[in-house]
Amino acid sequence: MVGFVTAVSDGVLAAYLPLLEVLPEFQGQGIGSELVRRMLDLLGGLYMVDVVTDPDVVPFYERFGMVPGTALMLRRRDLLR
């Protein structure tokens, strides 16, 4: 496996893409784009598909029609070990 994408959805209205990962040596070959394209096809009937990402990755997701928005997050770093 060189990459994967995951989605969490209620199956009716909304989905969230928490992870898109491609091994560094395989990045830049369109693998991540194809994974996102396939996931969006699977989620095509939903009203909203959200991604929270770093600013430098925003242009990647904009290619799929996503637009920047406002998000709030809680990160419990104390739970990571």
Side-chain angles (χ1 to χ4, degrees):
M1 177 169 43
V2 299
F4 66 92
V5 64
T6 61
V8 178
S9 175
D10 61 10
V12 177
L13 179 70
Y16 168 62
L17 304 181
L19 288 173
L20 169 64
E21 299 290 338
V22 176
L23 290 173
E25 60 267 30
F26 292 94
Q27 292 175 4
Q29 299 179 34
I31 295 168
S33 294
E34 184 62 22
L35 289 170
V36 171
R37 203 172 295 116
R38 289 181 185 206
M39 184 59 76
L40 292 177
D41 285 347
L42 289 171
L43 302 171
L46 299 180
Y47 168 72
M48 60 192 235
V49 177
D50 294 341
V51 174
V52 176
T53 191
D54 294 327
D56 61 318
V57 186
V58 169
F60 171 81
Y61 287 104
E62 286 177 327
R63 296 190 327 228
F64 302 98
M66 296 182 174
V67 296
T70 302
L72 299 170
M73 300 175 286
L74 174 63
R75 295 289 190 261
R76 296 288 312 274
R77 297 193 191 281
D78 60 309
L79 298 178
L80 298 176
R81 295 177 188 214

